[in-house]
Amino acid sequence: MSSAMEEWRFPARYDQDYLPDPDQPYWFPHRETMDPQERDAAVLARLREVMAYAYERSPFYRRKWDAVDCNPADITSFEAFEQVPVVTKEEMRAAQRDHPPFGDYVCVDDAEIHHIHGTSGTTGAPTAFALGRRDWEVIADNHARIMWAMGIRPGDTVFVAALFSLYLGSWGAMAGAERLRCRVLPFGAGVQGMTARAVTWLARVRPRAFYATPSYALRLAEVARQEKIDPREFGIEVMFFSGEPGASVPAVRGAIAEAFGARVVDCGTMAEMTPFMSASATSGTPDGMLLWQDIVWHEVCDPATFRTVPYGSEGTPVYTHLERTSQPMIRLASNDLTRWVMEDNPCGRTYPKLPDGVYGRIDDMIHIRGENVYPTEVDNYLRGVPGYAGEHQIVVSRAGTMDEMTVRAECSYPPEQRPEFVRTTGEGLQSLLGVRVTFETVDAGTFPRAEHKSRRVVDERAHARR
């Protein structure tokens, strides 16, 4: 273990009895505030160590790196590391198809596997996540450390309102809260009628912290008002979110904070990268997400070359585990979109930052008439428009050879006021997005509410091609 970095070893092992003084803002004071160049030097050595570990134990990585003459010992700079080929989700699915159930990139014995999670498989073959027993303990420590930075403390009640199934987010939040010595209410979500019961339990338990997706928090506030309860009566102080863009989108973030009177914290990367909270805001730096580079190595890369882009630029995150021993991901390409900066953080931590969070996926981006439209832009704009009633739908279609985009938004105004709402809102959207938009209104309550993650884009072009 390095004397300069608390609990810095591989494989990782953390003192399970350790807790900082409650008034201390940092879990690991030196590690979180050290000179970034000093930390980077330790990380570079760790990258070689992790690669050597995977090369020895994983036929997947050995085959992949041998094909391009990549040797872990040659990674003597971050420039050299950027030339390590990325891992894609398609490769992971193929590896699990050929070497079921966990693929030949699993690096521990079957007896060591403690948790099995995965994707739903709704858009293809499901991917299985195998987490070793030691890894689960380390993940809990990592999440506890980051939740400490959010302002959550031992003895706080944490209400976990996300699916308890294959979905890793809820389990990761619960593991971190338990390691933090919190009281945990693993409530779950996604079942018809469960949101009304959540309102009852929140009013009864009055938790200090709450975890869910942003869509579910907005739905919860709506149901609470239907039950004649002000969401602020729940007494929640810290709300942390993952699973979808939203908690860093200003209007969504503002709507949640206003509804609950709570501090909103965005976090999360990918389920494959658990500890997924390695990108997270803090109580002292509440906007965007810091990149906890000593837990997971985050790069923001050009999506064509997978070389890192300069700070201030947009790209796709590429992730590398620094502590996982089961199914370690080494340069996993996320296909997400973000922008990163390196600046002084008010909380004092010396990590890079995603000032706008992760705001979309490359494959969710709508390409229309030569322009790129992000669904989060539409969401952010509509939530700032008076008369918007909480939900909308984006429909992309093709008329002849031309793509068309229609936005249908719920409206709380009576019929006589809607023409002006349509005119001004449609013009505002068109000006913001730079493409022609057909804007229509529907009655409040027309669209289904998300009981977990929102699905607002309907692309009819694929149907038209078929």
Side-chain angles (χ1 to χ4, degrees), residues 9-232:
R9 59 169 72 86
F10 183 80
R13 173 67 75 186
Y14 290 102
D15 178 0
Q16 296 302 293
D17 294 323
Y18 170 73
L19 285 171
D21 184 282
D23 294 329
Q24 179 175 293
Y26 309 112
W27 187 273
F28 288 146
H30 182 70
R31 193 160 152 182
E32 295 171 27
T33 63
M34 66 194 298
D35 185 308
Q37 291 185 334
E38 182 186 354
R39 184 192 298 117
D40 287 355
V43 167
L44 183 60
R46 172 64 56 83
L47 290 173
R48 285 194 298 273
E49 199 170 12
V50 169
M51 286 183 65
Y53 169 88
Y55 187 87
E56 178 184 345
R57 291 165 176 80
S58 163
F60 173 88
Y61 283 114
R62 192 159 53 248
R63 182 173 62 248
K64 186 177 179 68
W65 296 339
D66 282 349
V68 294
D69 196 25
C70 174
N71 190 301
D74 295 335
I75 307 304
T76 56
S77 68
F78 289 113
E79 291 76 12
F81 184 67
E82 289 176 33
Q83 297 180 51
V84 175
V86 297
V87 174
T88 67
K89 287 193 173 184
E90 291 76 14
E91 287 179 299
M92 293 163 58
R93 282 193 287 267
Q96 294 196 352
R97 182 193 64 227
D98 297 340
H99 305 277
F102 304 123
D104 57 347
Y105 54 93
V106 68
C107 294
V108 296
D109 294 336
D110 284 353
E112 171 64 14
I113 294 171
H114 176 57
H115 266 242
I116 300 173
H117 294 271
T119 61
S120 62
T122 54
T123 58
T127 302
F129 307 145
L131 295 102
R133 189 172 301 276
R134 175 180 286 190
D135 281 344
W136 193 248
E137 186 178 281
V138 170
I139 288 163
D141 253 279
N142 293 151
H143 283 184
R145 175 184 166 197
I146 293 163
M147 291 166 67
W148 182 279
M150 296 177 188
I152 303 170
R153 291 293 181 268
D156 289 345
T157 298
V158 180
F159 193 102
V160 181
L163 296 173
F164 276 93
S165 62
L166 290 168
Y167 179 66
L168 252 171
S170 48
W171 297 95
M174 184 173 75
E178 289 177 336
R179 169 61 183 90
L180 197 49
R181 311 295 192 259
C182 295
R183 293 184 294 265
V184 186
L185 201 167
F187 189 81
V191 178
Q192 191 69 28
M194 203 165 186
T195 305
R197 291 198 293 275
V199 170
T200 300
W201 277 95
L202 285 163
R204 181 178 182 179
V205 177
R206 291 179 56 81
R208 182 163 181 269
F210 174 95
Y211 168 79
T213 63
S215 293
Y216 187 74
L218 293 169
R219 172 61 175 158
L220 181 66
E222 190 175 54
V223 171
R225 295 187 187 107
Q226 292 169 1
E227 300 287 326
K228 310 300 182 188
I229 295 176
D230 183 345
R232 289 175 173 249

Side-chain angles (χ1 to χ4, degrees), residues 198-440:
V199 170
T200 300
W201 277 95
L202 285 163
R204 181 178 182 179
V205 177
R206 291 179 56 81
R208 182 163 181 269
F210 174 95
Y211 168 79
T213 63
S215 293
Y216 187 74
L218 293 169
R219 172 61 175 158
L220 181 66
E222 190 175 54
V223 171
R225 295 187 187 107
Q226 292 169 1
E227 300 287 326
K228 310 300 182 188
I229 295 176
D230 183 345
R232 289 175 173 249
E233 294 178 17
F234 300 146
I236 302 170
E237 295 179 35
V238 181
M239 303 184 78
F240 59 111
F241 300 100
S242 70
E244 62 181 2
S248 285
V249 175
V252 176
R253 175 192 185 87
I256 296 171
E258 173 62 26
F260 292 91
R263 177 159 38 84
V264 175
V265 176
D266 195 10
C267 68
T269 55
M270 301 170 68
E272 292 87 347
M273 289 309 303
T274 299
F276 64 84
M277 291 184 192
S278 64
S280 175
T282 71
S283 60
T285 303
D287 60 315
M289 296 193 292
L290 301 188
L291 302 178
W292 296 65
Q293 296 287 56
D294 51 325
I295 295 174
V296 168
W297 181 247
H298 307 74
E299 304 168 87
V300 176
C301 296
D302 182 308
T305 66
F306 294 107
R307 302 294 186 263
T308 57
V309 298
Y311 288 124
S313 303
E314 180 183 81
T316 188
V318 174
Y319 303 115
T320 299
H321 280 124
L322 296 181
E323 297 183 330
R324 275 278 289 273
T325 57
S326 55
Q327 284 185 327
M329 292 289 100
I330 300 172
R331 299 210 82 210
L332 175 63
S334 68
N335 209 37
D336 289 327
L337 286 165
T338 191
R339 180 175 65 90
W340 69 343
V341 298
M342 189 64 178
E343 59 189 25
D344 291 339
N345 299 309
C347 66
R349 292 175 177 84
T350 53
Y351 298 124
K353 178 180 174 182
L354 308 181
D356 310 307
V358 175
Y359 44 76
R361 290 184 55 78
I362 293 172
D363 49 10
D364 285 343
M365 185 169 59
I366 302 168
H367 299 276
I368 184 164
R369 299 192 178 198
E371 296 292 334
N372 297 329
V373 174
Y374 302 113
T376 51
E377 292 181 293
V378 177
D379 194 16
N380 188 45
Y381 179 80
L382 289 177
R383 292 192 183 280
V385 175
Y388 173 65
E391 264 306 340
H392 62 276
Q393 185 181 74
I394 302 170
V395 180
V396 185
S397 58
R398 177 159 293 163
T401 60
M402 299 297 289
D403 290 338
E404 303 288 345
M405 188 168 86
T406 301
V407 176
R408 300 185 179 121
E410 293 183 349
C411 181
S412 61
Y413 288 150
E416 62 272 16
Q417 291 182 258
R418 293 195 183 184
E420 181 63 13
F421 176 80
V422 169
R423 184 186 68 80
T424 57
T425 307
E427 288 176 356
L429 273 174
Q430 195 157 292
S431 174
L432 171 71
L433 302 176
V435 298
R436 190 173 73 189
V437 177
T438 300
F439 183 72
E440 302 172 354

